[in-house]
Amino acid sequence: MATKIFKHIQTSVVPLPIENIDTDQIIPARFLKATTREGFGNNLFRDWRFDENDNPKTDFILNNPNYNGKILVAGKNFGCGSSREHAAWAIADYGFDAVVSSFFADIFKGNALNNGLLPVQVSDDFLKKIFDAVFADEHAVIEIDLVDQFIKIVATGEQESFEVNPYKKACMTNGYDDIDYILSKKELIQEFEDAK
Amino acid sequence: MGKTLFDKIWDAHVVSSNEGFPDILYIDTHFIHEVTSPQAFDGLRERGLPVFRPKQTVATADHNVPTWDQHLPIKEELSRYQVDMLTKNCAEFGIELYGLGHPFQGIVHVIGPELGITRPGGTYVCGDSHTSTHGAFGAIAFGIGTSQVEQVMATQCLLQQRPKRMKIEVNGKLQKGVGAKDIILYIISQTTAAGGTGYAVEYAGDTIRSLSMEGRMTICNMSIEMGARCGLIAPDETTINYVKGREFTPKGEEWEKAVAYWQTLYSDDDAQFDSVLKFKAEDIEPMITYGTNPGMGIGISQTVPETTSFEAKEQGSYKKALDYMGLHDDEHLLGRPIDYVFIGSCTNSRIEDLRQVAEFVKGKHKAENVTVWVVPGSKQVQEQAIREGLDKVFESAGFPLREPGCSACLGMNEDKIPAGKYCISTSNRNFEGRQGPNSRTFLASPLTAAASAITGRVTDIREFLKEEEFIEA
């Protein structure tokens, strides 16, 4: 089945300079009761975004109208904890196309890639440069190019290349998904089972 | 060159390996539950596909179920709908469901092993990160997202990059009062919550060998809390004795054949690991976490680390964690009043955990200020506890024995810790709000939790050991 295609974006960013952001923060378990993939963006970072009376917390960055864009930039070990794909769904549903961090948890990274949400792992230094740029100017623009695998701070021209699995890159730039690929090898699965 | 245990099992399950592509890995058993499966079933319907191997798929309802009055309809509408949806999906796609009311129902990582579904040398996945638990049998087991749940349903295979291999050795004799949970909390405190990311971790050493299967499950369960893809322990006599005679264990000639194969499952002497860590059992105290990820743990006699002991760029996140927990630098947790004690979860809800707690609390009573929940991991654990009279011991101690489920581990079902309250929990995560919005979690072993329930404050179990003797932790 076709999935979302990602090749290139250039946009302002939302900075979240916190380390070890776990998937329980991204989407708390009590919001995992839905049986469809839609609507999780409303509860993205629920308990950081809203108080116990559902009023927006003004000191949280998503509630600051000066910061917006299609890229979420966060501290290291982003997406640790639960395997809930709802975390990737919530980030994408909110309107982000990419997440930048200096380190990603494994399962989150895989889930993001399976949903057309690009995880971009940068060095600690480059992450700091992005935070510095966006805290100096909230409209600072970042460019991410998946085809040529680089991320750039547009105003200064500083850039860094990033790694992505070549297979997942082909999936994202063409909108393929894993099931199509494995189904194309179905006779091998049968052979494997017969040999057991 | 020799092979690691991990590579032996992986290689035996590779359906196809192509340069530039992840391997296609065959999955022996796919465990599913109500929370991470409905969108996968919808995906199959959209593609017009059946579940490829329904007989290798096992379902249970655990995350979203109440742990009291399970015979009544689930009160919360969305939870009820999600559990009903699992029932409908399993019926439509021909999958065996151990749902509410079934004698095999329970937490997915408790029932797989106790039913003999989890076996050495196998590959197991589930849309739940604590699937790493099953690695205790010398198996490859890990958590996956819902797109991958759909993938396994559609093909019984998973596209996976082979992870790097790490060996963690623990050798030596544990202090009295220190058990498997303390070992793993100690390891994670040393590696940090990201230290295992990208690795399959094999636990080895004589301390690990000396653990029961249930202790080994506790260790492997929390592999994901250091970011590891999975954790595993080579099978031995302990493993084989545990697996023997269970509901779905092979019997007769099949059993002999299986055991012969399992005996080949170990890392060869000359196998290469990408990383090796060694720890001494004697260095491990009863552990407790003070922060908001499982890597933020200390020996119970120690104090909360100083902010300045962290790099400048980490200090902001560290302060945020301490603020959330209502703690400050250099503080002792010992003696701090607590409000709740939760004994349960896929980490510590098996019969040995319950026996150990019961043995300790026999003749004691919980402190006035504390609410205690003991939640068995499965219906079979609950029944066994009742057969052994543990429920009576718990009741006299003010520890009601509830019904099986994930309960207060994850703040999803009815069992939540109220805002601002402190809970000593035998579960696996102390993230902000994990046990309920604004709840505060101290992760610890069942014995530490039980001792703290009795005193009403964070307690060093070793204080009790000076006065009495009881079963080894």
Side-chain angles (χ1 to χ4, degrees), chain B residues 132-447:
Chain B
S132 57
T133 311
H134 307 255
F137 291 80
I140 294 179
F142 52 89
I144 56 178
T146 297
S147 295
Q148 294 171 309
V149 169
E150 184 181 336
Q151 203 179 115
V152 180
M153 285 176 173
T155 67
Q156 203 58 34
C157 288
L158 194 66
L159 219 45
Q160 274 292 298
Q161 202 76 34
R162 188 188 298 244
K164 289 182 285 186
R165 278 74 80 197
M166 180 188 287
K167 179 159 77 167
I168 297 183
E169 264 188 48
V170 187
N171 288 296
K173 193 167 162 41
L174 291 170
Q175 300 176 37
K176 277 226 151 185
V178 174
K181 182 63 166 289
D182 302 299
I183 298 174
I184 190 63
L185 284 174
Y186 177 80
I187 292 173
I188 302 165
S189 77
Q190 301 298 304
T191 61
T192 78
T197 305
Y199 290 95
V201 176
E202 180 179 344
Y203 301 95
D206 56 42
T207 314
I208 300 291
R209 281 276 140 247
S210 73
L211 297 173
S212 68
M213 278 322 293
E214 301 201 352
R216 295 179 190 186
M217 284 188 248
T218 300
I219 301 268
C220 289
N221 171 274
M222 290 191 71
S223 302
I224 181 66
E225 307 310 337
M226 57 176 145
R229 198 79 195 88
C230 63
L232 70 172
I233 297 172
D236 57 11
E237 283 305 304
T238 305
T239 320
I240 292 167
N241 291 337
Y242 179 97
V243 175
K244 194 170 188 173
R246 291 183 181 266
E247 186 78 22
F248 298 110
T249 301
K251 310 281 183 313
E253 209 176 299
E254 286 292 302
W255 168 257
E256 299 302 328
K257 222 172 96 187
V259 170
Y261 172 58
W262 298 345
Q263 283 164 343
T264 68
L265 296 174
Y266 50 83
S267 287
D268 297 326
D269 287 341
D270 56 344
Q272 294 286 307
F273 288 87
D274 300 285
S275 171
V276 177
L277 302 177
K278 292 185 181 184
F279 300 107
K280 289 193 194 114
E282 292 79 5
D283 291 344
I284 307 174
E285 276 194 275
M287 293 290 295
I288 190 159
T289 64
Y290 59 89
T292 55
N293 73 59
M296 300 171 84
I298 48 175
I300 202 153
S301 69
Q302 297 168 350
T303 56
V304 173
E306 281 187 42
T307 305
T308 51
S309 66
F310 295 88
E311 280 183 54
K313 66 176 164 56
E314 293 175 347
Q315 291 181 7
S317 301
Y318 183 71
K319 277 191 203 143
K320 184 177 185 301
L322 290 196
D323 282 350
Y324 181 85
M325 291 300 293
L327 298 173
H328 53 78
D329 284 10
D330 271 337
E331 190 173 356
H332 269 289
L333 295 190
L334 267 183
R336 212 188 155 83
I338 50 161
D339 309 292
Y340 283 78
V341 170
F342 170 56
I343 295 168
S345 86
C346 57
T347 315
N348 283 120
S349 64
R350 298 179 178 83
I351 191 68
E352 286 178 14
D353 298 312
L354 268 47
R355 282 181 191 143
Q356 192 182 51
V357 170
E359 178 116 2
F360 174 74
V361 302
K362 198 167 192 170
K364 301 186 181 73
H365 197 274
K366 74 168 185 75
E368 217 31 53
N369 60 307
V370 179
T371 302
V372 185
W373 293 332
V374 181
V375 184
S378 70
K379 204 74 198 162
Q380 294 207 82
V381 170
Q382 183 191 3
E383 297 296 323
Q384 178 73 21
I386 292 169
R387 273 197 300 278
E388 295 179 17
L390 307 186
D391 57 327
K392 299 285 186 309
V393 175
F394 288 136
E395 206 181 302
S396 316
F399 288 36
L401 178 66
R402 300 174 71 92
E403 291 170 286
C406 298
S407 187
C409 174
L410 86 165
M412 175 164 207
N413 49 69
E414 292 169 18
D415 304 345
K416 294 187 185 75
I417 306 304
K421 298 295 183 189
Y422 287 95
C423 178
I424 290 211
S425 177
T426 68
S427 55
N428 40 55
R429 290 192 171 133
N430 50 356
F431 298 148
E432 285 184 31
R434 172 74 181 183
Q435 297 193 284
N438 287 309
S439 61
R440 293 147 157 178
T441 305
F442 297 132
L443 299 176
S445 72
L447 274 181

Side-chain angles (χ1 to χ4, degrees), chain A:
Chain A
M1 274 195 327
T3 56
K4 197 173 140 189
I5 290 178
F6 185 113
K7 286 182 178 168
H8 175 268
I9 51 170
Q10 186 163 327
T11 145
S12 55
V13 307
V14 178
L16 207 49
I18 301 170
E19 301 189 337
N20 297 310
I21 295 176
D22 59 80
T23 54
D24 274 87
Q25 306 319 310
I26 299 170
I27 181 95
R30 64 186 190 279
F31 299 111
L32 307 186
K33 299 183 186 194
T35 53
T36 63
R37 291 180 185 232
E38 290 78 38
F40 289 103
N42 294 333
N43 294 313
L44 175 67
F45 294 116
R46 179 74 201 194
D47 294 334
W48 288 354
R49 233 167 108 195
F50 300 98
D51 67 16
E52 57 277 23
N53 302 314
D54 296 331
N55 298 312
K57 292 183 181 176
T58 50
D59 58 350
F60 186 60
I61 199 98
L62 287 191
N63 294 324
N64 183 335
N66 294 329
Y67 292 97
N68 45 57
K70 296 275 188 193
I71 303 173
L72 179 66
V73 185
K76 77 170 181 204
N77 201 24
F78 185 83
C80 58
S82 155
S83 60
R84 61 190 68 166
E85 192 162 316
H86 312 65
W89 297 338
I91 295 170
D93 189 56
Y94 185 87
F96 291 110
D97 289 336
V99 185
V100 176
S101 175
S102 55
F103 197 83
F104 287 95
D106 261 355
I107 305 179
F108 175 81
K109 195 197 247 176
N111 288 340
L113 288 165
N114 283 337
N115 285 278
L117 176 70
L118 183 68
V120 178
Q121 186 161 322
V122 297
S123 65
D124 283 335
D125 278 350
F126 199 76
L127 186 69
K128 185 172 182 301
K129 281 181 187 165
I130 299 175
F131 282 137
D132 289 348
V134 68
F135 286 121
D137 170 13
E138 63 241 23
H139 303 299
V141 171
I142 301 292
E143 179 185 358
I144 295 175
D145 191 292
L146 176 56
V147 178
D148 290 328
Q149 292 179 229
F150 70 82
I151 174 167
K152 186 197 272 184
I153 301 169
V154 172
T156 63
E158 287 168 290
Q159 72 173 61
E160 194 172 87
S161 60
F162 62 87
E163 285 185 25
V164 60
N165 177 289
Y167 163 77
K168 290 313 291 188
K169 176 178 169 179
C171 286
M172 280 191 84
T173 52
N174 293 293
Y176 302 153
D177 88 359
D178 288 351
I179 296 182
D180 299 333
Y181 173 69
I182 306 181
L183 285 176
S184 75
K185 308 271 181 191
K186 213 159 176 183
E187 77 289 356
L188 295 176
I189 304 172
Q190 193 63 57
E191 280 170 30
F192 178 90
E193 289 184 332
D194 293 344
K196 267 207 303 182

Side-chain angles (χ1 to χ4, degrees), chain B residues 119-140:
Chain B
R119 290 174 228 155
T123 49
Y124 305 94
V125 295
C126 174
D128 188 286
S129 59
H130 294 109
T131 308
S132 57
T133 311
H134 307 255
F137 291 80
I140 294 179

Side-chain angles (χ1 to χ4, degrees), chain B residues 33-34 67 69 76 92 115 245 281 289 334 358 362 381 404 416 450 466:
Chain B
H33 62 82
E34 72 277 22
T67 60
D69 286 339
E76 219 259 331
E92 181 183 336
L115 291 171
T289 64
L334 267 183
K362 198 167 192 170
V381 170
K416 294 187 185 75
K466 289 174 192 154

